[in-house]
Amino acid sequence: TACCFFSYYFKEPSFISYVIEGKELTKEEKQRLRKEKKQQKKGKEKKDASLPQVSVAETAAPASQLKAERRARQEAERTSKQSKKGDTGQPATTIVKRLPEHIQVDDPDVLKKLAKKLERQQIPRRLDYGYKVSLFSHLLQYSRKAPLTQQLSIPSAVIHPAIVRLGLQYSQGIVAGSNARSIALLHAFKQVISDYTTPSNEELSRDLVNKLKPYISFLNQCRPLSASMGNAIKYIKKEISNIPSQFKEDDAKKKLLNCIECFIEEKIVLAAKAIAKSSIEKINDGDVILVYGCSSLVNHILCEAFEKGRKFRVIVVDSRPRLEGREALRRLVQKGISCTYVLISAVSYILPEVSKVFLGAHALLANGYVMSRVGTSQIALVAKAFNVPVLVCCETYKFCERVQTDSFVSNELDDPDDLIVTRKGETQLKDWQQVPRLGLLNLVYDVTPPDFVDLVITDLGMIPCTSVPVVLRVKNVDLL
Amino acid sequence: HKITSSCKHEATLSSTNQKAACSRSPGTMPGPYRETDLTEKVEAFLSDLKRGGSGTGPLRGSAETARETTALLRRITAQVRWSSAGDLMEVIRKEGRRMSAAQPSETTVGNMIRRVLKIIREEYARSRGSSEEADQQESLHKLLTSGGLSEENFRQYFTALKANVIEAINELLTELEGTTDNIAMQALEHIHSNEVIMTIGRSRTVEAFLKDAARKRKFHVIVAECAPFCQGHEMATSLSKDGIETTVITDAAIFAVMSRVNKVIIGTQTVLANGGLRAVNGTHTLALAAKHHSTPLIVCAPMFKLSPQFPNEEDTFHKFVSPHEVLPFTEGEILSKVNVHCPVFDYVPPELITLFISNIGGHAPSYIYRLMSELYHPEDHEL
């Protein structure tokens, strides 16, 4: 312990490791070391001149007393905070819920803070591209031609290569779709965890979480995180911090990998099976089913129903510029389902033939609104006008506690150059950047009000849209 | 009777330059050639109509089509031999049937023919000396008291009839030339500053309307691009070049941005007899979204687009074009296993429309039937 105090006053962490090398540190000692480091940092920031720069020997005894008191105080605060399940912020400050930065782009202070944080984590920052429509000046707009990885040195010292690859796949749209993105994220994290080694004086449960933070910032910069990814990350962080400290590193890693596998298996794969089972009751022979875009869950349901022998035909509605419906069309046609294909502007023409509408969701918000690919709310609106039932299929891990009433406050803006099209050799919007008052808007998501949706099919059963907060509450109780 | 033509014969027969300016030119062409010249012109017009039927919109706008149809009808009136009003009406009906059959979706042609037929009836009635009101409609009272349908066979001959009819058709042509300006003049009554206006596709009438308002007021326009032909792009570039703040959105985002829109102003291909519209596809979705947000939907449509058709005539309402626009041939194997539809028009019911702005002012959709009775005679509804 004398050596510890030495290092505290000399402010040299490397000195600590040199001195204590080879000794098995107890948990208490590790905690104390960490606290001392924190105190050092605090002392530097606050320029606290009250720290006595006294020689070690004289102040050894009273310093230990002070330390004990301080430690006891901090323990008390930490336990009280744990019981409230609060954030690990500075002690004795109120917990303020922070707005995510990606919807505050028009606030220069927020941008400065974000830039500082990224600099600290050594992650390059992605810049906005093109003229942004004034209604959406609070959101980010990136260009696909300028991925973040161009500003990184490869191989990167800070970011694990699996994460770099994942970030590139996100920003180029190679991995798209809420389930696909979550599964890819979890697989990348499995890779990170198996490659991870704990530094000698750190605990796995804390250090791993800190290591994941810059990765998450990097992925966020490549493409804003989806609600399902957010929930998956929360789950992983919770599992990591619940690792008991006496676990050896290999056991801890095995446990974490197992947890991730369980999550994917339960929340995504088995949930899809359960949803398919309940949905098949809703599909009758002779049905004409309308689907929009490419939802992996809805495609799974239709393929299952077809295998079980239901006779129906499918109308796939698609929209520019993503044209994801063509992918869904390929998958369904491969199974042998008879399909029709139209663009979203023809949906009023085709709806009189339709008996049901199946929609996928990106997230279900706590006020019952369904956040999904842009165009979904339009289809639900027209279906309602023609009195066609609308069913939304969504796994419970996509439920999120945010609330939103319109598609403006929180959305994603995709590359505006996607709207440019060449028809008959003429590209009307080729030089849109030069024209001063012309803006292109490429929204990714929109929210559907709950009165357009008749039923939500989840792995917990079939619920109305307004029961989402009930499910969230039940889930939170379970996790406690 | 020697037909004294009051029309100059065009030297060039190129179909894009059919300017039927009329003035006397004695001795340019001998008599027997005049009739074949007329048939040539009619054939050229018909083939133009047939060719202009791709979904991108006709080769020329509806206003031009209306003007050309009327000019052609005037030429027919002037050149074809006829002795009584009934004969003339027969000739015009016959040619009119051919013209509307060439492109059934281009209803302006049929509308102009019906207008001219109404003009002939009116001029005949005026020449006969009877008041216009008496012969107008078959009222129930008249049916009961007169004991049977009034026999009106238009067989009487009047010398001044031809000149009167041609003069009336000239007036119609003048009216047609001023329609877009008349509509654009009303723009400032409907658009105020700092508005967000939404439109879909490309309509020359709406373009003129918005540009006229932009001279005095500042507002923001959102254009839905209207896939698969993306006429919205042209509209947006044209508007932004005139200094209007424009945004292009995809069709899928119409409902998403509707909550911020103050007015929806659209053009249409046809106004139907019940006050509904036959407009470019995607308009019904736009109208439903506007209704949901209680946003007024304003339709800028000149009077020559008003057609006595009803929307329930299923086989003639929709028009389809090549599905290559929707799913291109590069998609390969799945093409043979998939049905692809590419409709061009949408039906918008009259309950979703707030206001019609035409060259004679603004009307509610419930008033359209009355306007129609003024423009067309009920016996001409079926050509």
mmCIF file of all heavy atoms in Angstrom, chain A residues 131 135 320 326 330 339-341 345 348-349 375 377-378 408 419 423 428 437 439 441, chain B residues 225 227 234 243 245-248 250-252 254-255 260 282 284 320 325-326 331 339:
data_model
loop_
_atom_site.group_PDB
_atom_site.id
_atom_site.type_symbol
_atom_site.label_atom_id
_atom_site.label_comp_id
_atom_site.label_asym_id
_atom_site.label_seq_id
_atom_site.Cartn_x
_atom_site.Cartn_y
_atom_site.Cartn_z
ATOM 1 N N TYR A 131 -26.986 19.975 -50.013
ATOM 2 C CA TYR A 131 -27.904 20.964 -49.474
ATOM 3 C C TYR A 131 -29.003 20.231 -48.700
ATOM 4 O O TYR A 131 -29.649 19.352 -49.230
ATOM 5 C CB TYR A 131 -28.500 21.746 -50.642
ATOM 6 C CG TYR A 131 -29.612 22.666 -50.269
ATOM 7 C CD1 TYR A 131 -29.355 23.833 -49.571
ATOM 8 C CD2 TYR A 131 -30.909 22.396 -50.628
ATOM 9 C CE1 TYR A 131 -30.375 24.690 -49.240
ATOM 10 C CE2 TYR A 131 -31.941 23.247 -50.306
ATOM 11 C CZ TYR A 131 -31.668 24.398 -49.614
ATOM 12 O OH TYR A 131 -32.678 25.243 -49.290
ATOM 13 N N LEU A 135 -36.440 21.903 -43.426
ATOM 14 C CA LEU A 135 -37.247 21.213 -42.427
ATOM 15 C C LEU A 135 -36.456 20.140 -41.700
ATOM 16 O O LEU A 135 -36.847 19.690 -40.642
ATOM 17 C CB LEU A 135 -38.457 20.546 -43.099
ATOM 18 C CG LEU A 135 -39.517 21.496 -43.644
ATOM 19 C CD1 LEU A 135 -40.486 20.714 -44.489
ATOM 20 C CD2 LEU A 135 -40.258 22.138 -42.506
ATOM 21 N N ARG A 320 -39.179 3.816 -55.139
ATOM 22 C CA ARG A 320 -37.861 4.360 -55.396
ATOM 23 C C ARG A 320 -37.369 5.043 -54.146
ATOM 24 O O ARG A 320 -38.179 5.490 -53.350
ATOM 25 C CB ARG A 320 -37.958 5.375 -56.530
ATOM 26 C CG ARG A 320 -38.047 4.734 -57.880
ATOM 27 C CD ARG A 320 -37.809 5.777 -58.960
ATOM 28 N NE ARG A 320 -36.427 6.176 -58.968
ATOM 29 C CZ ARG A 320 -36.004 7.440 -58.816
ATOM 30 N NH1 ARG A 320 -36.848 8.403 -58.672
ATOM 31 N NH2 ARG A 320 -34.723 7.711 -58.818
ATOM 32 N N ARG A 326 -37.831 -5.619 -55.010
ATOM 33 C CA ARG A 326 -37.362 -6.606 -55.995
ATOM 34 C C ARG A 326 -36.698 -7.780 -55.297
ATOM 35 O O ARG A 326 -36.812 -8.930 -55.739
ATOM 36 C CB ARG A 326 -36.381 -5.949 -56.963
ATOM 37 C CG ARG A 326 -37.080 -4.925 -57.797
ATOM 38 C CD ARG A 326 -36.271 -4.465 -58.945
ATOM 39 N NE ARG A 326 -36.967 -3.382 -59.606
ATOM 40 C CZ ARG A 326 -36.412 -2.569 -60.477
ATOM 41 N NH1 ARG A 326 -35.137 -2.704 -60.788
ATOM 42 N NH2 ARG A 326 -37.103 -1.620 -61.044
ATOM 43 N N ARG A 330 -37.888 -11.649 -55.584
ATOM 44 C CA ARG A 330 -37.053 -12.801 -55.951
ATOM 45 C C ARG A 330 -37.236 -13.941 -54.975
ATOM 46 O O ARG A 330 -37.381 -15.105 -55.362
ATOM 47 C CB ARG A 330 -35.580 -12.383 -55.989
ATOM 48 C CG ARG A 330 -35.196 -11.788 -57.306
ATOM 49 C CD ARG A 330 -33.736 -11.462 -57.371
ATOM 50 N NE ARG A 330 -33.594 -10.207 -58.091
ATOM 51 C CZ ARG A 330 -33.155 -9.085 -57.570
ATOM 52 N NH1 ARG A 330 -32.737 -9.046 -56.331
ATOM 53 N NH2 ARG A 330 -33.106 -7.993 -58.290
ATOM 54 N N CYS A 339 -46.880 -13.971 -57.734
ATOM 55 C CA CYS A 339 -46.710 -12.596 -57.279
ATOM 56 C C CYS A 339 -47.075 -11.593 -58.345
ATOM 57 O O CYS A 339 -46.984 -11.860 -59.536
ATOM 58 C CB CYS A 339 -45.246 -12.342 -56.929
ATOM 59 S SG CYS A 339 -44.663 -13.329 -55.593
ATOM 60 N N THR A 340 -47.467 -10.414 -57.877
ATOM 61 C CA THR A 340 -47.672 -9.260 -58.738
ATOM 62 C C THR A 340 -46.776 -8.158 -58.202
ATOM 63 O O THR A 340 -46.517 -8.097 -57.005
ATOM 64 C CB THR A 340 -49.144 -8.817 -58.663
ATOM 65 O OG1 THR A 340 -49.958 -9.933 -58.922
ATOM 66 C CG2 THR A 340 -49.442 -7.739 -59.663
ATOM 67 N N TYR A 341 -46.331 -7.279 -59.072
ATOM 68 C CA TYR A 341 -45.384 -6.250 -58.649
ATOM 69 C C TYR A 341 -45.841 -4.912 -59.158
ATOM 70 O O TYR A 341 -46.114 -4.754 -60.346
ATOM 71 C CB TYR A 341 -44.009 -6.617 -59.214
ATOM 72 C CG TYR A 341 -42.915 -5.644 -58.902
ATOM 73 C CD1 TYR A 341 -42.286 -5.662 -57.669
ATOM 74 C CD2 TYR A 341 -42.484 -4.723 -59.847
ATOM 75 C CE1 TYR A 341 -41.262 -4.790 -57.384
ATOM 76 C CE2 TYR A 341 -41.470 -3.849 -59.570
ATOM 77 C CZ TYR A 341 -40.856 -3.882 -58.344
ATOM 78 O OH TYR A 341 -39.837 -3.013 -58.069
ATOM 79 N N SER A 345 -47.004 4.247 -56.316
ATOM 80 C CA SER A 345 -47.997 5.187 -56.827
ATOM 81 C C SER A 345 -49.207 4.470 -57.398
ATOM 82 O O SER A 345 -50.262 5.073 -57.562
ATOM 83 C CB SER A 345 -47.370 6.086 -57.885
ATOM 84 O OG SER A 345 -46.475 5.347 -58.667
ATOM 85 N N SER A 348 -53.378 2.679 -55.175
ATOM 86 C CA SER A 348 -54.837 2.883 -55.185
ATOM 87 C C SER A 348 -55.493 2.072 -56.280
ATOM 88 O O SER A 348 -56.673 1.739 -56.177
ATOM 89 C CB SER A 348 -55.207 4.334 -55.457
ATOM 90 O OG SER A 348 -54.410 5.177 -54.764
ATOM 91 N N TYR A 349 -54.740 1.773 -57.316
ATOM 92 C CA TYR A 349 -55.304 0.958 -58.396
ATOM 93 C C TYR A 349 -55.442 -0.483 -57.958
ATOM 94 O O TYR A 349 -56.424 -1.154 -58.247
ATOM 95 C CB TYR A 349 -54.413 1.064 -59.630
ATOM 96 C CG TYR A 349 -54.673 -0.015 -60.637
ATOM 97 C CD1 TYR A 349 -55.829 -0.012 -61.387
ATOM 98 C CD2 TYR A 349 -53.782 -1.066 -60.806
ATOM 99 C CE1 TYR A 349 -56.091 -1.014 -62.289
ATOM 100 C CE2 TYR A 349 -54.041 -2.068 -61.705
ATOM 101 C CZ TYR A 349 -55.201 -2.040 -62.443
ATOM 102 O OH TYR A 349 -55.449 -3.039 -63.327
ATOM 103 N N GLY A 375 -43.086 5.169 -46.560
ATOM 104 C CA GLY A 375 -44.081 4.614 -47.480
ATOM 105 C C GLY A 375 -45.044 3.685 -46.775
ATOM 106 O O GLY A 375 -46.137 3.443 -47.261
ATOM 107 N N SER A 377 -46.611 4.146 -43.929
ATOM 108 C CA SER A 377 -47.776 4.851 -43.408
ATOM 109 C C SER A 377 -48.741 5.155 -44.542
ATOM 110 O O SER A 377 -49.962 5.134 -44.356
ATOM 111 C CB SER A 377 -47.338 6.129 -42.725
ATOM 112 O OG SER A 377 -46.563 6.900 -43.606
ATOM 113 N N GLN A 378 -48.191 5.399 -45.732
ATOM 114 C CA GLN A 378 -49.046 5.688 -46.873
ATOM 115 C C GLN A 378 -49.883 4.477 -47.244
ATOM 116 O O GLN A 378 -51.067 4.581 -47.531
ATOM 117 C CB GLN A 378 -48.141 5.994 -48.055
ATOM 118 C CG GLN A 378 -48.552 7.155 -48.844
ATOM 119 C CD GLN A 378 -47.426 7.547 -49.734
ATOM 120 O OE1 GLN A 378 -46.476 8.164 -49.308
ATOM 121 N NE2 GLN A 378 -47.535 7.179 -50.968
ATOM 122 N N PHE A 408 -40.719 13.866 -38.628
ATOM 123 C CA PHE A 408 -39.689 14.891 -38.775
ATOM 124 C C PHE A 408 -38.677 14.878 -37.658
ATOM 125 O O PHE A 408 -37.486 15.071 -37.890
ATOM 126 C CB PHE A 408 -40.332 16.277 -38.811
ATOM 127 C CG PHE A 408 -41.048 16.549 -40.079
ATOM 128 C CD1 PHE A 408 -42.329 16.091 -40.276
ATOM 129 C CD2 PHE A 408 -40.441 17.255 -41.092
ATOM 130 C CE1 PHE A 408 -42.993 16.327 -41.451
ATOM 131 C CE2 PHE A 408 -41.096 17.508 -42.264
ATOM 132 C CZ PHE A 408 -42.374 17.045 -42.452
ATOM 133 N N LEU A 419 -31.826 9.969 -55.698
ATOM 134 C CA LEU A 419 -33.055 10.304 -56.401
ATOM 135 C C LEU A 419 -32.831 10.578 -57.873
ATOM 136 O O LEU A 419 -33.769 10.606 -58.650
ATOM 137 C CB LEU A 419 -33.702 11.539 -55.768
ATOM 138 C CG LEU A 419 -34.315 11.339 -54.388
ATOM 139 C CD1 LEU A 419 -34.974 12.614 -53.952
ATOM 140 C CD2 LEU A 419 -35.331 10.244 -54.415
ATOM 141 N N ARG A 423 -33.601 8.868 -67.596
ATOM 142 C CA ARG A 423 -34.634 8.245 -68.395
ATOM 143 C C ARG A 423 -34.513 8.748 -69.813
ATOM 144 O O ARG A 423 -34.473 9.947 -70.040
ATOM 145 C CB ARG A 423 -36.015 8.618 -67.852
ATOM 146 C CG ARG A 423 -36.282 8.025 -66.501
ATOM 147 C CD ARG A 423 -37.755 7.967 -66.194
ATOM 148 N NE ARG A 423 -38.383 6.938 -66.979
ATOM 149 C CZ ARG A 423 -39.243 7.177 -67.942
ATOM 150 N NH1 ARG A 423 -39.595 8.394 -68.245
ATOM 151 N NH2 ARG A 423 -39.782 6.170 -68.603
ATOM 152 N N GLN A 428 -32.588 14.680 -65.497
ATOM 153 C CA GLN A 428 -33.101 16.008 -65.185
ATOM 154 C C GLN A 428 -32.350 16.660 -64.049
ATOM 155 O O GLN A 428 -32.100 17.845 -64.052
ATOM 156 C CB GLN A 428 -34.580 15.902 -64.800
ATOM 157 C CG GLN A 428 -35.498 15.671 -65.965
ATOM 158 C CD GLN A 428 -35.616 16.908 -66.809
ATOM 159 O OE1 GLN A 428 -35.376 18.011 -66.345
ATOM 160 N NE2 GLN A 428 -35.967 16.730 -68.051
ATOM 161 N N ARG A 437 -31.837 26.800 -55.401
ATOM 162 C CA ARG A 437 -32.952 26.595 -54.495
ATOM 163 C C ARG A 437 -33.539 25.203 -54.580
ATOM 164 O O ARG A 437 -34.659 24.989 -54.163
ATOM 165 C CB ARG A 437 -34.056 27.599 -54.821
ATOM 166 C CG ARG A 437 -33.660 28.980 -54.448
ATOM 167 C CD ARG A 437 -34.739 29.961 -54.833
ATOM 168 N NE ARG A 437 -34.142 31.198 -55.229
ATOM 169 C CZ ARG A 437 -33.691 32.093 -54.382
ATOM 170 N NH1 ARG A 437 -33.792 31.870 -53.099
ATOM 171 N NH2 ARG A 437 -33.144 33.198 -54.812
ATOM 172 N N GLY A 439 -33.688 21.259 -53.586
ATOM 173 C CA GLY A 439 -33.238 20.309 -52.593
ATOM 174 C C GLY A 439 -33.839 18.946 -52.897
ATOM 175 O O GLY A 439 -34.938 18.851 -53.411
ATOM 176 N N LEU A 441 -34.831 15.239 -51.149
ATOM 177 C CA LEU A 441 -35.064 14.669 -49.836
ATOM 178 C C LEU A 441 -35.233 13.170 -49.961
ATOM 179 O O LEU A 441 -36.112 12.701 -50.667
ATOM 180 C CB LEU A 441 -36.344 15.289 -49.250
ATOM 181 C CG LEU A 441 -36.646 14.937 -47.815
ATOM 182 C CD1 LEU A 441 -35.550 15.438 -46.936
ATOM 183 C CD2 LEU A 441 -37.953 15.562 -47.410
ATOM 184 N N GLU B 225 -42.170 13.099 -56.946
ATOM 185 C CA GLU B 225 -41.599 12.873 -58.268
ATOM 186 C C GLU B 225 -42.474 12.036 -59.190
ATOM 187 O O GLU B 225 -42.328 12.115 -60.385
ATOM 188 C CB GLU B 225 -40.237 12.214 -58.132
ATOM 189 C CG GLU B 225 -40.333 10.806 -57.596
ATOM 190 C CD GLU B 225 -38.992 10.136 -57.496
ATOM 191 O OE1 GLU B 225 -37.987 10.784 -57.797
ATOM 192 O OE2 GLU B 225 -38.953 8.965 -57.131
ATOM 193 N N ALA B 227 -43.116 8.413 -59.715
ATOM 194 C CA ALA B 227 -42.511 7.309 -60.444
ATOM 195 C C ALA B 227 -43.576 6.600 -61.278
ATOM 196 O O ALA B 227 -44.748 6.679 -60.938
ATOM 197 C CB ALA B 227 -41.898 6.337 -59.444
ATOM 198 N N GLU B 234 -38.699 17.287 -63.720
ATOM 199 C CA GLU B 234 -38.725 18.417 -64.659
ATOM 200 C C GLU B 234 -39.397 19.622 -64.031
ATOM 201 O O GLU B 234 -38.946 20.754 -64.166
ATOM 202 C CB GLU B 234 -39.556 17.997 -65.872
ATOM 203 C CG GLU B 234 -38.804 17.843 -67.141
ATOM 204 C CD GLU B 234 -39.766 17.512 -68.272
ATOM 205 O OE1 GLU B 234 -40.094 16.326 -68.420
ATOM 206 O OE2 GLU B 234 -40.192 18.457 -68.942
ATOM 207 N N GLY B 243 -36.642 30.744 -59.182
ATOM 208 C CA GLY B 243 -36.408 31.309 -57.870
ATOM 209 C C GLY B 243 -37.328 30.802 -56.786
ATOM 210 O O GLY B 243 -37.383 31.371 -55.704
ATOM 211 N N GLU B 245 -38.250 28.130 -53.926
ATOM 212 C CA GLU B 245 -37.572 27.140 -53.093
ATOM 213 C C GLU B 245 -38.279 25.790 -53.268
ATOM 214 O O GLU B 245 -39.410 25.622 -52.852
ATOM 215 C CB GLU B 245 -37.690 27.604 -51.649
ATOM 216 C CG GLU B 245 -36.955 26.795 -50.636
ATOM 217 C CD GLU B 245 -35.516 27.243 -50.499
ATOM 218 O OE1 GLU B 245 -35.277 28.452 -50.650
ATOM 219 O OE2 GLU B 245 -34.669 26.389 -50.235
ATOM 220 N N THR B 246 -37.613 24.828 -53.889
ATOM 221 C CA THR B 246 -38.264 23.558 -54.233
ATOM 222 C C THR B 246 -37.562 22.387 -53.597
ATOM 223 O O THR B 246 -36.355 22.385 -53.439
ATOM 224 C CB THR B 246 -38.212 23.342 -55.758
ATOM 225 O OG1 THR B 246 -38.374 24.580 -56.406
ATOM 226 C CG2 THR B 246 -39.301 22.402 -56.205
ATOM 227 N N THR B 247 -38.326 21.372 -53.241
ATOM 228 C CA THR B 247 -37.762 20.115 -52.741
ATOM 229 C C THR B 247 -38.391 18.978 -53.516
ATOM 230 O O THR B 247 -39.603 18.974 -53.735
ATOM 231 C CB THR B 247 -38.113 19.937 -51.249
ATOM 232 O OG1 THR B 247 -37.666 21.055 -50.541
ATOM 233 C CG2 THR B 247 -37.437 18.704 -50.694
ATOM 234 N N VAL B 248 -37.594 18.012 -53.900
ATOM 235 C CA VAL B 248 -38.127 16.829 -54.583
ATOM 236 C C VAL B 248 -38.209 15.702 -53.568
ATOM 237 O O VAL B 248 -37.240 15.434 -52.858
ATOM 238 C CB VAL B 248 -37.209 16.399 -55.735
ATOM 239 C CG1 VAL B 248 -37.731 15.143 -56.382
ATOM 240 C CG2 VAL B 248 -37.107 17.497 -56.759
ATOM 241 N N THR B 250 -39.709 11.523 -52.827
ATOM 242 C CA THR B 250 -40.182 10.317 -53.502
ATOM 243 C C THR B 250 -41.672 10.141 -53.216
ATOM 244 O O THR B 250 -42.214 10.726 -52.292
ATOM 245 C CB THR B 250 -39.441 9.090 -52.978
ATOM 246 O OG1 THR B 250 -39.571 9.072 -51.561
ATOM 247 C CG2 THR B 250 -37.994 9.148 -53.343
ATOM 248 N N ASP B 251 -42.335 9.288 -54.004
ATOM 249 C CA ASP B 251 -43.765 9.066 -53.765
ATOM 250 C C ASP B 251 -44.009 8.466 -52.413
ATOM 251 O O ASP B 251 -45.061 8.633 -51.823
ATOM 252 C CB ASP B 251 -44.327 8.082 -54.790
ATOM 253 C CG ASP B 251 -44.174 8.591 -56.181
ATOM 254 O OD1 ASP B 251 -44.252 9.807 -56.342
ATOM 255 O OD2 ASP B 251 -43.978 7.769 -57.077
ATOM 256 N N ALA B 252 -43.055 7.693 -51.905
ATOM 257 C CA ALA B 252 -43.275 7.005 -50.648
ATOM 258 C C ALA B 252 -43.314 7.974 -49.482
ATOM 259 O O ALA B 252 -43.839 7.648 -48.426
ATOM 260 C CB ALA B 252 -42.172 5.974 -50.428
ATOM 261 N N ILE B 254 -44.884 10.874 -49.317
ATOM 262 C CA ILE B 254 -45.973 11.844 -49.398
ATOM 263 C C ILE B 254 -46.666 11.990 -48.047
ATOM 264 O O ILE B 254 -46.866 13.092 -47.545
ATOM 265 C CB ILE B 254 -46.989 11.423 -50.484
ATOM 266 C CG1 ILE B 254 -46.392 11.650 -51.859
ATOM 267 C CG2 ILE B 254 -48.278 12.190 -50.360
ATOM 268 C CD1 ILE B 254 -47.286 11.233 -52.992
ATOM 269 N N PHE B 255 -47.034 10.873 -47.417
ATOM 270 C CA PHE B 255 -47.730 10.984 -46.142
ATOM 271 C C PHE B 255 -46.801 11.511 -45.063
ATOM 272 O O PHE B 255 -47.224 12.227 -44.164
ATOM 273 C CB PHE B 255 -48.285 9.615 -45.736
ATOM 274 C CG PHE B 255 -49.126 9.656 -44.511
ATOM 275 C CD1 PHE B 255 -50.400 10.167 -44.546
ATOM 276 C CD2 PHE B 255 -48.636 9.201 -43.306
ATOM 277 C CE1 PHE B 255 -51.189 10.221 -43.420
ATOM 278 C CE2 PHE B 255 -49.413 9.250 -42.167
ATOM 279 C CZ PHE B 255 -50.695 9.759 -42.224
ATOM 280 N N ARG B 260 -46.600 18.872 -42.686
ATOM 281 C CA ARG B 260 -46.064 20.222 -42.744
ATOM 282 C C ARG B 260 -46.572 21.029 -43.923
ATOM 283 O O ARG B 260 -46.118 22.141 -44.149
ATOM 284 C CB ARG B 260 -44.548 20.176 -42.860
ATOM 285 C CG ARG B 260 -43.877 19.899 -41.578
ATOM 286 C CD ARG B 260 -44.273 20.909 -40.539
ATOM 287 N NE ARG B 260 -43.191 21.105 -39.639
ATOM 288 C CZ ARG B 260 -42.314 22.097 -39.783
ATOM 289 N NH1 ARG B 260 -42.439 22.944 -40.751
ATOM 290 N NH2 ARG B 260 -41.319 22.192 -38.938
ATOM 291 N N GLY B 282 -50.919 8.072 -58.236
ATOM 292 C CA GLY B 282 -50.336 8.639 -57.029
ATOM 293 C C GLY B 282 -51.164 9.789 -56.496
ATOM 294 O O GLY B 282 -50.996 10.188 -55.352
ATOM 295 N N HIS B 284 -54.409 9.831 -55.919
ATOM 296 C CA HIS B 284 -55.382 9.405 -54.931
ATOM 297 C C HIS B 284 -54.749 9.311 -53.554
ATOM 298 O O HIS B 284 -55.332 9.739 -52.558
ATOM 299 C CB HIS B 284 -55.975 8.045 -55.322
ATOM 300 C CG HIS B 284 -57.117 7.628 -54.470
ATOM 301 N ND1 HIS B 284 -57.345 6.327 -54.109
ATOM 302 C CD2 HIS B 284 -58.095 8.344 -53.884
ATOM 303 C CE1 HIS B 284 -58.422 6.259 -53.346
ATOM 304 N NE2 HIS B 284 -58.899 7.468 -53.198
ATOM 305 N N PHE B 320 -52.887 1.570 -69.427
ATOM 306 C CA PHE B 320 -51.652 0.944 -68.966
ATOM 307 C C PHE B 320 -50.573 1.116 -69.993
ATOM 308 O O PHE B 320 -50.831 1.128 -71.185
ATOM 309 C CB PHE B 320 -51.882 -0.558 -68.721
ATOM 310 C CG PHE B 320 -52.893 -0.822 -67.674
ATOM 311 C CD1 PHE B 320 -54.218 -0.933 -68.005
ATOM 312 C CD2 PHE B 320 -52.521 -0.927 -66.349
ATOM 313 C CE1 PHE B 320 -55.160 -1.149 -67.031
ATOM 314 C CE2 PHE B 320 -53.456 -1.149 -65.378
ATOM 315 C CZ PHE B 320 -54.786 -1.258 -65.712
ATOM 316 N N GLU B 325 -41.196 -0.129 -67.581
ATOM 317 C CA GLU B 325 -40.845 1.030 -66.750
ATOM 318 C C GLU B 325 -40.767 0.633 -65.282
ATOM 319 O O GLU B 325 -40.022 1.214 -64.504
ATOM 320 C CB GLU B 325 -41.932 2.104 -66.897
ATOM 321 C CG GLU B 325 -42.260 2.485 -68.315
ATOM 322 C CD GLU B 325 -41.202 3.368 -68.897
ATOM 323 O OE1 GLU B 325 -40.307 3.782 -68.147
ATOM 324 O OE2 GLU B 325 -41.245 3.629 -70.099
ATOM 325 N N VAL B 326 -41.582 -0.332 -64.880
ATOM 326 C CA VAL B 326 -41.625 -0.706 -63.478
ATOM 327 C C VAL B 326 -40.584 -1.770 -63.168
ATOM 328 O O VAL B 326 -39.810 -1.647 -62.217
ATOM 329 C CB VAL B 326 -43.033 -1.226 -63.130
ATOM 330 C CG1 VAL B 326 -43.071 -1.757 -61.733
ATOM 331 C CG2 VAL B 326 -44.046 -0.134 -63.316
ATOM 332 N N GLU B 331 -34.100 -7.649 -65.192
ATOM 333 C CA GLU B 331 -34.319 -8.445 -63.989
ATOM 334 C C GLU B 331 -34.279 -9.931 -64.252
ATOM 335 O O GLU B 331 -34.277 -10.720 -63.327
ATOM 336 C CB GLU B 331 -35.674 -8.087 -63.350
ATOM 337 C CG GLU B 331 -35.659 -6.751 -62.639
ATOM 338 C CD GLU B 331 -34.673 -6.727 -61.496
ATOM 339 O OE1 GLU B 331 -34.634 -7.676 -60.708
ATOM 340 O OE2 GLU B 331 -33.926 -5.729 -61.391
ATOM 341 N N ASN B 339 -46.607 -10.933 -62.497
ATOM 342 C CA ASN B 339 -47.463 -9.967 -63.183
ATOM 343 C C ASN B 339 -47.008 -8.576 -62.794
ATOM 344 O O ASN B 339 -46.852 -8.288 -61.620
ATOM 345 C CB ASN B 339 -48.913 -10.108 -62.720
ATOM 346 C CG ASN B 339 -49.499 -11.429 -63.114
ATOM 347 O OD1 ASN B 339 -49.082 -12.000 -64.101
ATOM 348 N ND2 ASN B 339 -50.447 -11.904 -62.347
#
